[in-house]
């Protein structure tokens, strides 16, 4: 069974005075672009079975603005997730899931996308390596069970910046 992982960076955030990083909200541009990202996902990617989202306010608002409907698990470990911890999170996905969306932050989302991709010389990987801006999406496909997903085992099939 083919599996897909979508790694999404949260929308553009605001920087209000006196607000801790974890509680920063989205800026109006972030809300708009997250909505565009959700529209793109519905049009291009297979239906999402499960969503894992950072507990930060801006990621929760990003997810809400996408308009996507799938079971959601909020995970504090995504907030400062490293490629190793995010890949482990992917490996623990239930075998009934075909498409997983993770909504998180930089540098975790771009680094993990790069680490998972086997086709690092592709056009998509070149774009991803230049910049992984807010509301960007990396879609990777795998031909193995979740537990066997690891560095360099996926194909980066899309890199999309919602603008």
């Amino acid at each position: 069974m083919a599996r897909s992982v979508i790694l999404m960076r949260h929308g553009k955030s605001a920087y209000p005075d006196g607000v801790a990083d974890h509680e920063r909200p989205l800026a109006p541009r972030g809300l708009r672009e997250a909505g565009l990202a959700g529209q793109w996902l519905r049009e291009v990617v297979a239906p999402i079975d499960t969503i894992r989202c950072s507990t930060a306010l801006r990621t929760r608002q990003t997810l809400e603005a996408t308009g996507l409907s799938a079971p959601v698990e909020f995970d504090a470990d995504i907030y400062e997730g490293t490629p190793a911890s995010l890949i482990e999170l992917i490996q623990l996905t239930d075998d009934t899931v075909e498409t997983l969306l993770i909504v998180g932050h930089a540098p975790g989302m771009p680094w993990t996308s790069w680490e998972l991709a086997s086709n690092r010389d592709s056009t998509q990987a070149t774009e991803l390596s230049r910049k992984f801006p807010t509301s960007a999406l990396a879609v990777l496909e795998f031909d193995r069970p979740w537990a066997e997903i690891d560095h360099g085992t996926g194909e980066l099939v899309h890199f999309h910046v919602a603008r």
Side-chain angles (χ1 to χ4, degrees):
M1 172 190 301
R3 312 226 185 259
S4 297
V5 174
I6 306 156
L7 297 166
M8 179 179 188
R9 185 174 174 200
H10 62 77
K12 178 72 175 164
S13 60
Y15 294 88
D17 289 337
V19 175
D21 184 72
H22 193 270
E23 298 309 315
R24 282 192 294 124
L26 286 183
R29 176 180 134 197
L31 287 167
R32 181 179 57 79
E33 291 173 353
L36 292 172
Q39 179 181 348
W40 183 85
L41 284 168
R42 283 187 294 281
E43 292 172 359
V44 176
V45 179
I48 295 166
D49 300 308
T50 299
I51 301 169
R52 295 216 175 104
C53 183
S54 164
T55 56
L57 179 59
R58 61 190 177 275
T59 54
R60 290 181 284 133
Q61 289 180 328
T62 296
L63 177 57
E64 184 178 335
T66 65
L68 298 170
S69 60
V72 180
E73 178 182 320
F74 294 98
D75 189 329
D77 292 337
I78 296 171
Y79 180 66
E80 292 184 341
T82 63
S85 66
L86 293 168
I87 291 170
E88 182 178 351
L89 179 82
I90 292 166
Q91 292 169 336
L92 295 173
T93 301
D94 188 273
D95 285 332
T96 61
V97 172
E98 291 182 32
T99 303
L100 169 67
L101 168 65
I102 301 176
V103 183
H105 310 266
M109 296 297 101
W111 288 357
T112 304
S113 301
W114 183 257
E115 287 298 317
L116 289 171
S118 62
N119 57 328
R120 294 182 182 167
D121 58 350
S122 67
T123 302
Q124 299 90 323
T126 300
E127 291 297 317
L128 182 150
S129 70
R130 289 185 182 137
K131 188 173 183 183
F132 199 109
T134 54
S135 295
L137 300 147
V139 181
L140 295 111
E141 291 183 352
F142 300 86
D143 63 355
R144 62 196 68 226
W146 293 113
E148 295 176 20
I149 289 174
D150 210 340
H151 299 265
T153 60
E155 180 182 355
L156 180 65
V157 293
H158 297 288
F159 178 69
H160 178 74
V161 179
R163 293 284 188 262

